[in-house]
Amino acid sequence: MKGIVFTEFLEMVEQEYGLEIADHILENSQLESQGAYTAVGTYSHDEMLQLIGNLSTKTATDIPVLLKAFGRYLFDTFLSSYPSFFERTNSAFEFLESIENHIHVEVRKLYADAELPKFTTQRVDDIGFEMIYSSERKMADFAEGLIERTMDHYKTPYEMTKTPLNEDGTMVKFVIMKK
Amino acid sequence: MDSEILLRKLRREKEARKQAEAILEKKALELYQANEDLRRLNETLEGEIELRTIKMLSSEQQYRDLVETIDEVIYHADRSGVFTFMNHNGPARFGYSLDEMLGQAFEKFVHPDDVEKTKAFYAKMLKENLDQSYFQFRIISKNGQIRWIGQSVKSIKEKGEIIKFAAVARDITERNQLMEDLRNAKELAENSQLAEKQFLASMSHEIRTPLNAIIGMSHLLEDTNLNKDQNEYVEVLLNSSKILHTLISDVLDMSKIDSGNIEIQEKDLDLRALLKNIEKTFAIKLENQTINMKLQIDEGIDTYLIGDELLLNQIFFNLLGNAEKFTDEGSISLRAKILESNDEFVKIHFEVKDTGIGISKDNLNNIFEKFKQVSDDKKYSYGGTGLGLPITKRIITLMGGDLEVESIEGLGSVFHFEIQFKNTGKAISQKTNHISNTGQFVIPELAILVVEDNPMNQKYIGRLLNKWKLPFEFANHGKEAIEMCQAKQYALIFMDLQMPILDGFEAALALKTIQNKNSNTPIIALTASSLLSIKKQTKEIGMNDFLSKPFNPSQLKEVLVKYFPFKAQQDQNMEEFEAAFRFNKELNENYLADNYGSDLSYALDMFQTFITSFSNDYALFNESIKNKDIKSCGMYAHKIKPIFTMVGLNKITAHFDTLESLSKNENWEGFVSYFRKVEQEIVNCLALIKVETVRLEKFISHQQA
Ligand code: HEM
């Protein structure tokens, strides 16, 4: 997993819960990296699971809630760091379509070892949009947060349902309807 | 506590920085490595390019070698016609070196008279983006010689646009010279052939004209009070001139057949009536002799066939005349028997049998050969030319049959052949619509103008017209005729074609084009010439009918009844005639019959409307052409198109339809060239409609009278 995910995650924890909590979850995890993350490095996905797990225990908050919040947080980081990706598209659905076809493609060019999810999208009539997430890393909740902020960013009122397509959470379907 | 946390954070950050620096250094190394790889790749690529260039150069050398072995000029020229590549060998032929030509524009070498043409050729290729084209022009060789060049030029294109030309040019001076010689030789041959034909035609004219007068005057002489001796002289006079006439006709027929200049008319044919008429004529001829004329016609011949009445008459007259000459007593029989018959065709076997002296075996072989008379018997020749039987045989061959003869000396001969006619399926009606000989023309208000230079012929026609009480005036040549036509309107004009001062063609053309009172008056051409092309020419000029000289009184009458109502003595005949106004055959009879039926005044109304509306629109149409305004050309074409159908001229409607679509496609060149092609036809048709309108008017007013 790319370092930027870790640095941003810790940034969020420091902001939301304070330095102490951030330090606590780092100290209480068995981290191969010793918790020394740089945005350009690559680390084991397992470290992220430990950090989130510890944060959940410490703050008595469910992991999905934390992942979603992280997704929302990261969207804003993307918005300021990679404005060009947003300039290309005019609507929320167009932007969501561009993740698989363009954004993550560019990410892969930059970081050959990036571990990215796979998205399939489909428009339903004028107002509906279906997006299926699939990834070994089971981070649909994180995706949900990103999607929510996307809709906000494009000022599109919406309703969203999230349906797991299997038991282990590697396949999840989002259905978004414009309101 | 807080400071511990901060310390730990600081340690982690330090560690992270070291990591980042390590990653950066690693990346920098990777970058360097990648750059190195790129440089090496570059070097190998450069080497590759060098190698390929060497290879290419050597293969270009091969092409060059190849190109030098060729005897033609091979070159590249850029868009402005400047030579950029050329083989040595080519220009050397014309005394030029490669250095003199490369970098120079083609104009420098082209014959001054052909420069514009050559420029236009390249300009056209560029403008129309042509792939390939061929062109001939002249160049001036170094020593000032003019040489003809034929070059095939190909465009070399990049992204669809011509960037240069590649051409193979060849010296075709010798070839052109050869072709020119051939053309000249051919022209010479054709000219002499034409001269021969013209000589024959004009000779026959020279002979026939006075002969026509002799025959005509003899007929008139017969009608006067003559004593017995005088009567006999006239008869001899008539007979000899008729023989002379036959002779000329035969010679002429033969030459027409030999030159393929004979036209078989495909018209409805009542074979039964034709054979009966022939029988009647011969029965009268044989009245005073001890010879019987027998005719047997197959009952099955009961429909109109398609055939040439005139030529069939000639066949039977020749065969029967021949039989008559060699039979002293007994019988001559003519038989027509159906061999095969269905809806499409009828195949008939004809036989002319006599009980005459017969033909010897030796002579049987050559009786069909030209100018070979049966030597030991002077009598065995028809009309004295020895052409009667050969002509008959050739006419039958033209009709798809084969004339054969069987004969036993002393017993008689049988001439027989088969002809297959197309069948119209129309039943032959029993009633014959024969123009009654007894009767009268309705005297017209306007006179007939007879334009004829020969005073004898003038007298002949004059007597006949007097006899029928038709008023007439004479003009002695074309110029006089035009003057008379400007002063006065005539009902009909007879126009001799060969006249001094101004001939009939020019006079007729003038009457149709210049201001005069007779531009709508029907013109009947009179000519002793029998060339088919002349007949066609009279039609093209807009003459309405054609009467071949010499003509007999009933032939003249046949023409006249088309233009002047004729009251036959039997009332029934008169009714029949009046009911049947025949439109000119050029018009679509079916359409006119369907639309106007017997309501001729309605038809007249439409014809008159046509003339005014067409004249207006056509003037505007022509104006638009002058102004090159293709849009309004199309508009008027559209407007004019349908009105031609109204008067039964569907073919002109089709022309305007084409013109309309050409103008819609904005194809100005195509439009103009098509229009020039059909213009004369349109003008002729207008003249035709004018004539028909006048005829209709006259016909209706006579009906009412
Ligand atoms: C400018 C926009 C975006 C950028 C630059 C971006 C870039 C990235 C990067 C660098 C990663 C980490 C890959 C790794 O750790 O190896 C990632 C992962 C991920 N991205 Fe994006 N992304 C963007 C937008 C989005 C959005 C809008 C979604 C939401 C649908 C999304 C869904 C995800 C998910 C779910 C992952 C986690 C990996 C997984 O589940 O397999 N991304 N993205």
Side-chain angles (χ1 to χ4, degrees):
Chain A
M1 179 154 273
K2 293 313 297 178
I4 187 171
V5 183
F6 290 87
T7 53
E8 286 306 316
F9 177 73
L10 292 170
E11 194 62 41
M12 179 190 79
V13 175
E14 277 182 22
Q15 267 179 34
E16 297 292 316
Y17 304 102
L19 214 53
E20 273 177 56
I21 307 269
D23 182 63
H24 173 85
I25 62 171
L26 281 167
E27 286 305 301
N28 287 286
S29 305
Q30 301 292 314
L31 302 172
E32 201 191 324
S33 66
Q34 311 283 300
Y37 299 111
T38 163
V40 291
T42 303
Y43 310 92
S44 158
H45 178 241
D46 178 60
E47 295 190 12
M48 178 52 76
L49 294 181
Q50 285 191 57
L51 293 173
I52 290 206
N54 286 336
L55 184 64
S56 167
T57 330
K58 180 80 190 162
T59 59
T61 316
D62 289 344
I63 292 180
V65 177
L66 290 172
L67 272 175
K68 192 161 130 182
F70 179 44
R72 294 179 65 95
Y73 177 87
L74 201 65
F75 182 87
D76 295 335
T77 314
F78 284 158
L79 195 57
S80 57
S81 323
Y82 308 101
S84 66
F85 286 134
F86 298 87
E87 280 156 16
R88 305 176 70 247
T89 50
N90 298 316
S91 72
F93 291 167
E94 242 181 86
F95 176 78
L96 293 174
E97 281 164 349
S98 77
I99 301 167
E100 178 74 13
N101 303 329
H102 179 69
I103 300 175
H104 282 178
V105 175
E106 295 302 311
V107 170
R108 167 91 59 221
K109 283 188 203 161
L110 208 56
Y111 310 116
D113 51 1
E115 293 176 312
L116 294 160
K118 185 165 167 51
F119 287 110
T120 54
T121 59
Q122 195 183 351
R123 300 227 184 183
V124 185
D125 299 334
D126 273 353
I127 52 162
F129 191 77
E130 204 180 272
M131 191 167 184
I132 294 172
Y133 163 91
S134 72
S135 164
E136 285 307 310
R137 284 161 298 284
K138 307 171 194 161
M139 286 173 70
D141 298 311
F142 169 71
E144 191 181 356
L146 281 162
I147 295 170
E148 279 179 8
R149 289 297 290 146
T150 303
M151 299 309 288
D152 295 345
H153 172 73
Y154 286 99
K155 303 197 170 57
T156 314
Y158 69 100
E159 254 166 35
M160 177 157 68
T161 59
K162 184 167 123 211
T163 322
L165 296 182
N166 57 14
E167 308 257 288
D168 61 6
T170 55
M171 282 258 270
V172 177
K173 178 163 98 173
F174 297 93
V175 175
I176 308 158
M177 302 292 277
K178 282 195 217 164
K179 270 208 294 202
Chain B
M1 168 84 160
D2 262 4
S3 62
E4 247 174 67
I5 293 174
L6 281 174
L7 263 172
R8 278 205 289 278
K9 188 174 155 74
L10 197 67
R11 206 180 56 233
R12 284 191 216 107
E13 300 266 291
K14 240 189 190 163
E15 183 56 29
R17 202 189 74 216
K18 268 194 217 149
Q19 259 186 53
E21 281 163 2
I23 290 170
L24 276 177
E25 202 176 316
K26 191 170 148 236
K27 288 283 164 201
L29 203 74
E30 275 173 18
L31 207 65
Y32 171 79
Q33 203 59 45
N35 258 336
E36 272 301 283
D37 290 351
L38 217 66
R39 196 178 51 76
R40 269 198 298 277
L41 189 69
N42 227 354
E43 271 169 15
T44 37
L45 275 179
E46 268 168 20
E48 186 101 330
I49 286 170
E50 208 166 309
L51 201 77
R52 287 203 190 170
T53 313
I54 292 167
K55 271 194 195 156
M56 207 174 73
L57 284 175
S58 78
S59 77
E60 194 188 301
Q61 188 54 47
Q62 280 175 19
Y63 281 123
R64 263 205 171 276
D65 293 346
L66 198 68
V67 153
E68 293 306 340
T69 61
I70 293 175
D71 211 18
E72 276 118 16
V73 185
I74 294 178
Y75 71 82
H76 277 173
D78 64 15
R79 283 174 61 100
S80 55
V82 170
F83 297 120
T84 53
F85 166 88
M86 194 175 288
N87 55 340
H88 284 89
N89 210 10
R93 273 188 71 117
F94 307 106
Y96 291 107
S97 73
L98 203 54
D99 288 343
E100 276 173 296
M101 301 207 75
L102 286 182
Q104 300 290 338
F106 65 85
E107 288 107 293
K108 235 186 114 176
F109 310 95
V110 173
H111 188 289
D113 291 351
D114 285 356
V115 168
E116 283 313 310
K117 200 166 86 170
T118 314
K119 276 185 181 164
F121 168 79
Y122 285 109
K124 186 179 168 180
M125 285 196 77
L126 287 168
K127 189 167 162 242
E128 293 173 23
N129 203 24
L130 299 180
D131 287 330
Q132 201 167 356
S133 194
Y134 181 80
F135 177 59
Q136 293 189 6
F137 60 103
R138 286 163 297 173
I139 61 159
I140 311 265
S141 72
K142 185 103 187 222
N143 60 15
Q145 250 191 332
I146 296 172
R147 307 294 296 177
W148 272 98
I149 302 291
Q151 69 171 4
S152 157
V153 182
K154 244 182 134 94
S155 301
I156 296 181
K157 296 186 181 178
E158 224 173 73
K159 291 190 188 126
E161 207 189 320
I162 298 176
I163 51 160
K164 61 177 170 181
F165 300 105
V168 179
R170 171 190 292 235
D171 187 339
I172 53 167
T173 313
E174 273 79 36
R175 198 192 72 184
N176 276 8
Q177 188 58 48
L178 201 71
M179 267 163 66
E180 171 96 27
D181 291 351
L182 275 173
R183 244 200 313 271
N184 287 343
K186 196 171 157 231
E187 211 167 285
L188 208 70
E190 277 171 359
N191 280 345
S192 56
Q193 216 178 10
L194 199 71
E196 197 183 306
K197 263 198 230 160
Q198 268 163 356
F199 172 73
L200 210 61
S202 66
M203 267 311 282
S204 85
H205 168 74
E206 298 300 329
I207 299 169
R208 278 219 249 185
T209 309
L211 195 59
N212 178 30
I214 294 171
I215 296 175
M217 296 311 288
S218 308
H219 276 299
L220 294 176
L221 201 58
E222 255 186 334
D223 272 3
T224 57
N225 283 332
L226 300 175
N227 65 33
K228 197 172 160 254
D229 279 353
Q230 285 171 324
N231 244 327
E232 221 168 89
Y233 300 155
V234 172
E235 203 177 310
V236 173
L237 187 62
L238 258 175
N239 278 342
S240 346
S241 46
K242 273 181 189 159
I243 287 170
L244 192 56
H245 186 244
T246 313
L247 173 78
I248 296 162
S249 299
D250 280 356
V251 170
L252 216 77
D253 279 349
M254 203 65 216
S255 80
K256 268 200 286 189
I257 292 172
D258 279 353
S259 62
N261 227 338
I262 205 158
E263 205 177 14
I264 296 187
Q265 301 285 334
E266 299 228 314
K267 283 194 183 142
D268 281 12
L269 166 76
D270 182 348
L271 184 63
R272 185 169 281 276
L274 181 139
L275 293 175
K276 275 188 177 162
N277 263 334
I278 291 171
E279 180 213 24
K280 241 189 255 163
T281 313
F282 270 84
I284 293 167
K285 265 181 130 182
L286 299 174
E287 239 168 27
N288 302 326
Q289 302 181 36
T290 45
I291 310 170
N292 253 338
M293 175 76 214
K294 289 188 212 160
L295 172 69
Q296 273 176 280
I297 309 177
D298 199 316
E299 283 303 311
I301 303 176
D302 55 2
T303 54
Y304 281 97
L305 308 173
I306 301 279
D308 189 319
E309 203 174 308
L310 224 72
L311 291 179
L312 280 167
N313 259 322
Q314 195 171 352
I315 292 171
F316 292 117
F317 269 99
N318 281 358
L319 290 178
L320 288 169
N322 195 58
E324 184 205 340
K325 282 200 169 56
F326 304 105
T327 309
D328 290 332
E329 54 180 358
S331 66
I332 297 173
S333 60
L334 169 58
R335 251 171 60 179
K337 197 171 159 253
I338 293 183
L339 293 177
E340 242 183 293
S341 162
N342 58 37
D343 290 350
E344 274 168 30
F345 64 86
V346 180
K347 193 172 189 177
I348 297 173
H349 179 261
F350 295 96
E351 186 183 281
V352 174
K353 192 168 164 187
D354 64 58
T355 56
I357 54 170
I359 308 161
S360 70
K361 276 221 169 87
D362 292 345
N363 286 329
L364 263 184
N365 294 328
N366 51 25
I367 58 164
F368 294 135
E369 273 172 47
K370 276 197 271 184
F371 302 111
K372 281 241 172 91
Q373 296 186 16
V374 174
S375 52
D376 52 353
D377 189 343
K378 288 264 159 56
K379 229 184 149 193
Y380 214 107
S381 64
Y382 166 61
T385 61
L387 283 172
L389 284 176
I391 287 174
T392 308
K393 178 156 176 106
R394 280 170 173 75
I395 295 175
I396 291 171
T397 307
L398 278 174
M399 292 182 167
D402 186 17
L403 178 61
E404 284 177 85
V405 59
E406 269 117 55
S407 184
I408 298 174
E409 257 189 297
L411 279 181
S413 318
V414 187
F415 288 84
H416 59 97
F417 59 96
E418 293 167 17
I419 289 181
Q420 182 169 311
F421 298 93
K422 276 193 214 136
N423 192 356
T424 65
K426 281 186 280 182
I428 295 169
S429 64
Q430 299 305 327
K431 236 188 338 178
T432 44
N433 289 6
H434 193 66
I435 301 167
S436 173
N437 254 331
T438 47
Q440 256 185 324
F441 282 101
V442 175
I443 297 164
E445 287 159 44
L446 300 172
I448 297 170
L449 178 63
V450 180
V451 190
E452 167 69 78
D453 61 318
N454 185 317
M456 293 289 189
N457 284 336
Q458 279 191 2
K459 268 193 195 151
Y460 179 52
I461 300 182
R463 269 299 289 266
L464 288 170
L465 292 178
N466 265 335
K467 197 166 144 188
W468 296 320
K469 301 201 170 62
L470 290 167
F472 63 92
E473 286 167 27
F474 284 124
N476 290 312
H477 49 74
K479 195 156 165 269
E480 199 174 305
I482 293 171
E483 283 158 12
M484 291 171 76
C485 281
Q486 280 169 329
K488 187 175 163 187
Q489 192 185 350
Y490 292 95
L492 187 72
I493 300 170
F494 282 106
M495 180 75 76
D496 186 26
L497 293 178
Q498 276 139 311
M499 285 183 297
I501 303 180
L502 190 71
D503 73 19
F505 285 116
E506 288 181 62
L509 199 62
L511 291 180
K512 294 281 173 202
T513 45
I514 67 167
Q515 181 92 35
N516 72 95
K517 295 199 161 106
N518 290 278
S519 42
N520 295 329
T521 309
I523 303 178
I524 317 293
L526 296 179
T527 179
S529 165
S530 38
L531 284 184
L532 288 170
S533 58
I534 289 195
K535 202 166 156 184
K536 225 175 94 192
Q537 243 175 304
T538 58
K539 262 215 179 114
E540 280 165 4
I541 286 183
M543 298 205 208
N544 303 65
D545 236 318
F546 187 93
L547 190 56
S548 184
K549 292 197 284 188
F551 47 83
N552 59 32
S554 62
Q555 282 169 324
L556 178 62
K557 195 183 226 169
E558 230 170 81
V559 171
L560 286 166
V561 291
K562 287 193 210 163
Y563 300 92
F564 300 101
F566 181 75
K567 277 206 176 120
Q569 247 154 26
Q570 293 110 322
D571 285 350
Q572 199 192 350
N573 265 358
M574 189 185 81
E575 255 175 40
E576 250 177 38
F577 180 68
E578 284 194 347
F581 178 86
R582 304 280 299 183
F583 282 101
N584 189 303
K585 288 207 186 78
E586 295 280 301
L587 307 183
N588 185 334
E589 277 177 286
N590 289 342
Y591 176 85
L592 295 172
D594 283 356
N595 271 268
Y596 306 123
S598 57
D599 193 348
L600 291 176
S601 35
Y602 172 45
L604 177 62
D605 200 21
M606 293 307 267
F607 273 54
Q608 283 166 338
T609 315
F610 167 85
I611 292 171
T612 38
S613 77
F614 172 71
S615 306
N616 278 341
D617 291 339
Y618 193 58
L620 292 167
F621 178 75
N622 270 310
E623 185 70 24
S624 312
I625 292 179
K626 230 168 60 204
N627 296 338
K628 295 194 170 175
D629 181 352
I630 195 156
K631 274 235 174 71
S632 77
C633 283
M635 200 185 79
Y636 286 113
H638 180 80
K639 211 169 152 202
I640 292 168
K641 192 169 72 172
I643 62 175
F644 273 96
T645 312
M646 229 166 62
V647 293
L649 279 168
N650 310 49
K651 52 179 185 171
I652 306 292
T653 297
H655 288 331
F656 276 101
D657 195 42
T658 310
L659 285 170
E660 191 190 351
S661 46
L662 285 168
S663 63
K664 268 200 188 128
N665 295 340
E666 312 234 314
N667 181 349
W668 178 251
E669 269 168 38
F671 177 87
V672 172
S673 80
Y674 188 85
F675 176 64
R676 295 286 169 237
K677 222 172 61 194
V678 298
E679 192 178 5
Q680 191 55 45
E681 196 182 339
I682 294 170
V683 173
N684 288 347
C685 281
L686 177 63
L688 173 69
I689 296 298
K690 284 185 178 164
V691 170
E692 289 298 293
T693 310
V694 173
R695 279 187 57 223
L696 258 174
E697 244 166 7
K698 289 223 174 94
F699 191 87
I700 291 168
S701 70
H702 282 302
Q703 243 181 356
Q704 285 162 350

